[in-house]
Structures are given as C-alpha cells and as structure tokens.
Amino acid sequence: MKRAKISVIGAGNVGASCAVWAASKELGDVVLLDIPQAADKTKGKALDLAQCGPVERFDANIVGTSDYTETANSDVVVITAGLPRKPGMSRDDLVQTNVKIVGSVAEEVARHSPDAVLVVVSNPLDAMVYTAWKKSGFPPQRVVGQAGCLDIARYRTFIAMEVGCSVEDISALLMGGHGDDMVPLPRYTSISGIPVTQFIPAERLNEIIGRAKMGGGELVKLMGTSAYYAPASGSIQMVEAIVKDKRRILPCAAYCDKEYGVGGYYVGVPTMLGRNGVERVIEVELDAGERDLFDSSVEHVKELVTLAEGFLNG
Ligand code: APR
C-alpha cells in the first residue's frame, strides 16, 4: 500500500513537533518545509528525526527542505508557518504578519499539491484558515483549521486532573472560535458516559472551563512563546483521521454557510473528518445560552476575517 505523504509548512516549534507525532505514529512520509534562510536547520531537524526511526520503530522518509517541489502531491499539508504569540500579544495581533505568510504558503501548496487536504494551525486560526481557503482556491471541505482538538485536549486534561481519573475516559464537545473565544458545552461533557456534573460541581467546572479558555495564554506566560506539543498533537489527530479515512468526529474550524446559520465563515464546530477533509459538519442542538455564546464567538470571527481580508487585498 502506498504511504501517505504529509507535508508540514513551517518547521518551527509546532511544525517540528507535528513531524515527530506523524512519524512516531507512522502515518506516512513527512516533508518539513521552512524558508530558505532556515534550509540547513530544517534539513537537520528532518535528519535528526529520521534517526529516531530505529529506536521508535517507525519507517518513514523524512525530508527537510525549503523547496516546494519536494512537497509535490502531498495527501495532507499542515500549515504552521507564521509568527507565534509573545507575552502580552493576543492572537489577533498576529493577523497582519501571518495573513501574508499563510496566504503565500497556501498559493504554493495549491500549486504543488492540488488534491491535498490543508490543515491550518497558524494563528489567529479562524482568520488564517479563511485566508488559506481563499488563496488556495480549494473547495472549502478540503481546508480545515485546528483549534477544537487542542482546546478540548486542554479541557479534558484539566477535568482529569480535578477528578483524578484517566484523561482517556473524558469525552467533551466545544464550539466557536479558538481559545479565549471558545464556547464550552458542559452538558455535552461526560466521563465514560456519566455526566461530568456528577463528578464536578457546576461552579468548579466553570473555573476549569475558564482555565481551558485561557490555556494558550497560560503557556505563553510560562514559556515566553506559544505552546507546541499539544497544538501539534491536536493537528496530527486530524491528520490521522484524514490519512486513515477514519471519519472521526472532531471539533474543527470548518466552513459553515447554512450550517448554524453562519453565512460563509470558518468556525469551530463538530465535524466528521475523513479522506476528503470535512466529510460533514454536524449540527448539534444548542440552548438559548449556548446559542448566544456561539453567536458572539462567530461575530468575533467575522471581525477578524474582515481585518485579514483588508491585509489580503491591501
Ligand atoms: N514559509 C515557510 N515557513 C515560514 C514562513 C514562510 N513564508 N514564514 C515563517 N515561517 C516559519 C519560520 O521560519 C518558523 O520556523 O514558520 C516557523 C514558525 O515557527 P515558530 O516561530 O517556532 O512558531 P510556532 O511556535 O511553531 O508557531 C507557529 O502556529 O500555533 C500557531 O500561534 C502559532 O501562528 C503560530 C504558528
């Protein structure tokens, strides 16, 4: 069987970590690409990772490059290129710089891998995934943003810490924009099918939700740059669903037009992810309070996209 080809654009903290997860899970061959000024470093990271193969027991060709021809005909391309957040910066502060980077990357990727599924990770995510869609010219189902997988992983981690149980048994759903803007849905959170409220009182759960929302900022403060292990792990969870055509139901930034009445934007919603990208957006029932939170999150996404479009067209 032919191995999947996974390209990761941006070989920085998140990109290199994506390559590590993808290789160690033996999802396919991996191409790491960064700017020409970083060509040697990128080659070095790829070689270093390839040398983990004998110990970690994976077979994969791992290439580091600054040449897009090496990414040709990828099945999946993960876009992590762009600046990370520094302390005191919001994700929105990154718009101007990252819109130009992600826009040019998406054009190159589309030229070399016209049939790929794009997984966008660069922030501010909801605007960057929109930018990648516009610039790639791909159908919206083949461009998807990583946000919810990370936000949910943070939320599940904090719940497991609170209850003292396995992270594996926590199942949760959240929607809306990435991070600070996310819309938690505690009534869709359970531990092995048991509603989470039977383990954690509502007030304490709200505090945990607050921490998950600000989870990115907590790490920026601690590390002086934005997180990378968990963002990469969330991204590779999506890549795995795509290359193995698992049709997993994962929260992703997906294009919604009629869905949830969004009207043509990328927002965090439950999706079914498979070989074709977003196979389906799943519409769950929202009560009035959840709907209000979702609508205001979508408003923020629209503002960000307007800002991004200004820089894209300017
Ligand atoms: N093409 C390819 N790579 C690029 C380009 C470009 N046009 N511009 C910048 N890069 C590369 C940088 O050279 C750098 O190696 O993107 C990489 C970004 O890596 P880091 O600075 O380590 O940032 P990282 O922490 O990986 O975050 C990347 O992911 O989670 C988001 O908010 C985060 O937007 C940020 C992105």
Side-chain angles (χ1 to χ4, degrees):
M1 206 169 76
K2 195 177 148 279
R3 276 193 210 147
K5 181 168 179 179
I6 301 156
S7 289
V8 181
I9 315 298
N13 285 333
V14 178
S17 306
C18 281
V20 171
W21 292 119
S24 61
K25 289 169 190 275
E26 214 174 41
L27 298 183
D29 292 332
V30 180
V31 180
L32 254 182
L33 182 143
D34 209 292
I35 52 175
Q37 296 88 312
D40 280 350
K41 199 168 177 186
T42 309
K43 271 193 189 133
K45 286 185 185 181
L47 185 58
D48 190 12
L49 177 55
Q51 291 165 0
C52 300
V55 178
E56 299 299 331
R57 295 194 290 178
F58 59 78
D59 286 304
N61 293 325
I62 300 168
V63 172
T65 186
S66 56
D67 177 357
Y68 275 92
T69 60
E70 305 243 36
T71 68
N73 302 316
S74 296
D75 297 293
V76 184
V77 179
V78 184
I79 300 181
T80 75
L83 297 192
R85 261 203 294 176
K86 298 289 174 207
M89 276 172 106
S90 74
R91 288 188 181 86
D92 304 10
D93 293 333
L94 297 176
V95 173
Q96 186 168 7
T97 320
N98 284 357
V99 93
K100 295 220 162 72
I101 295 176
V102 170
S104 67
V105 165
E107 283 175 342
E108 287 290 344
V109 167
R111 224 186 330 274
H112 292 88
S113 297
D115 300 320
V117 176
L118 303 190
V119 175
V120 181
V121 187
S122 311
N123 273 312
L125 189 273
D126 306 285
M128 291 309 117
V129 63
Y130 185 92
T131 301
W133 168 56
K134 281 275 161 174
K135 287 293 187 179
S136 64
F138 281 7
Q141 295 74 18
R142 275 206 283 124
V143 182
V144 58
Q146 189 294 120
C149 287
L150 169 61
D151 292 331
I152 274 202
R154 286 184 171 146
Y155 178 49
R156 289 170 65 199
T157 305
F158 295 145
I159 290 174
M161 283 173 175
E162 181 74 15
V163 176
C165 69
S166 165
V167 286
E168 277 183 47
D169 294 329
I170 295 154
S171 167
L173 174 63
L174 46 80
M175 295 176 57
H178 183 29
D180 317 2
D181 240 6
M182 79 186 202
V183 178
L185 301 169
R187 71 195 174 96
Y188 289 106
T189 306
S190 65
I191 306 182
S192 285
I194 306 160
V196 69
T197 41
Q198 293 194 20
F199 293 88
I200 306 175
E203 214 169 279
R204 178 69 188 132
L205 189 62
N206 274 337
E207 287 170 13
I208 292 171
I209 289 168
R211 187 172 177 199
K213 274 190 184 190
M214 306 310 280
E218 180 178 0
L219 287 161
V220 172
K221 238 188 246 158
L222 289 169
M223 306 201 299
T225 189
S226 52
Y228 38 96
Y229 296 132
S233 151
S235 308
I236 295 305
Q237 184 177 38
M238 293 168 66
V239 170
E240 182 172 27
I242 296 164
V243 298
K244 293 188 179 169
D245 196 22
K246 284 177 76 89
R247 301 173 76 82
R248 286 207 60 188
I249 295 181
L250 296 171
C252 300
Y255 185 80
C256 295
D257 191 4
K258 294 204 179 62
E259 297 88 348
Y260 296 98
V262 168
Y265 291 86
Y266 278 84
V267 286
V269 287
T271 62
M272 184 185 284
L273 268 195
R275 183 65 200 88
N276 303 305
V278 177
E279 309 281 352
R280 251 180 87 186
V281 167
I282 291 147
E283 291 194 74
V284 295
E285 211 184 285
L286 298 177
D287 65 23
E290 292 161 351
R291 185 75 224 191
D292 279 352
L293 287 175
F294 182 73
D295 287 345
S296 63
S297 185
V298 171
E299 277 316 304
H300 189 208
V301 169
K302 289 182 181 173
E303 282 164 26
L304 262 180
V305 167
T306 306
L307 191 64
E309 273 188 321
F311 296 124
L312 256 184
N313 303 324

